[in-house]
Amino acid sequence: DIEDMGGEPQAVVANPRRCTMCRECIRAPGMEHKVKLLRKSNHFVFTVETVGAISPADIFKRSLDVLAEKCKTILQELKSKSG
């Protein structure tokens, strides 16, 4: 897609969630200087699939709880080994 970014037209990804960063857009001769591929370092896109027994939102919330517990365990191990 072409968007007006401060008076200067720029090409942007039409559907960022479908971009796989395959670099195909810069492989054509001369395009490597016209296209920038950038990622946000603190931005993650992922898909949660379910068969319906638990909603995707609940699966996500539960996964965050599991991740938080694992982080606590790692921090406790690091503290016990360093001190």
Side-chain angles (χ1 to χ4, degrees):
D1 287 349
I2 305 297
E3 293 185 4
D4 183 6
M5 306 291 246
E8 186 174 330
Q10 290 186 341
V12 295
V13 177
N15 189 345
R17 289 184 172 219
R18 297 198 53 142
C19 179
T20 62
M21 299 294 281
C22 68
R23 305 176 64 82
E24 193 63 35
C25 58
I26 63 172
R27 289 198 175 118
M31 292 303 289
E32 65 273 4
H33 300 293
K34 295 179 182 178
V35 176
K36 281 186 186 178
L37 291 179
L38 304 170
R39 292 183 182 184
K40 293 181 181 179
S41 62
N42 63 348
H43 188 87
F44 301 94
V45 176
F46 57 93
T47 302
V48 177
E49 295 183 12
T50 178
V51 294
I54 305 172
S55 74
D58 283 342
I59 291 173
F60 181 71
K61 289 174 189 173
R62 290 180 189 187
S63 69
L64 290 179
D65 291 339
V66 170
L67 180 61
E69 285 300 317
K70 289 183 178 193
C71 289
K72 285 179 189 176
T73 301
I74 290 171
L75 288 172
Q76 289 171 352
E77 287 294 319
L78 289 172
K79 285 179 183 177
S80 70
K81 297 206 186 277
S82 66

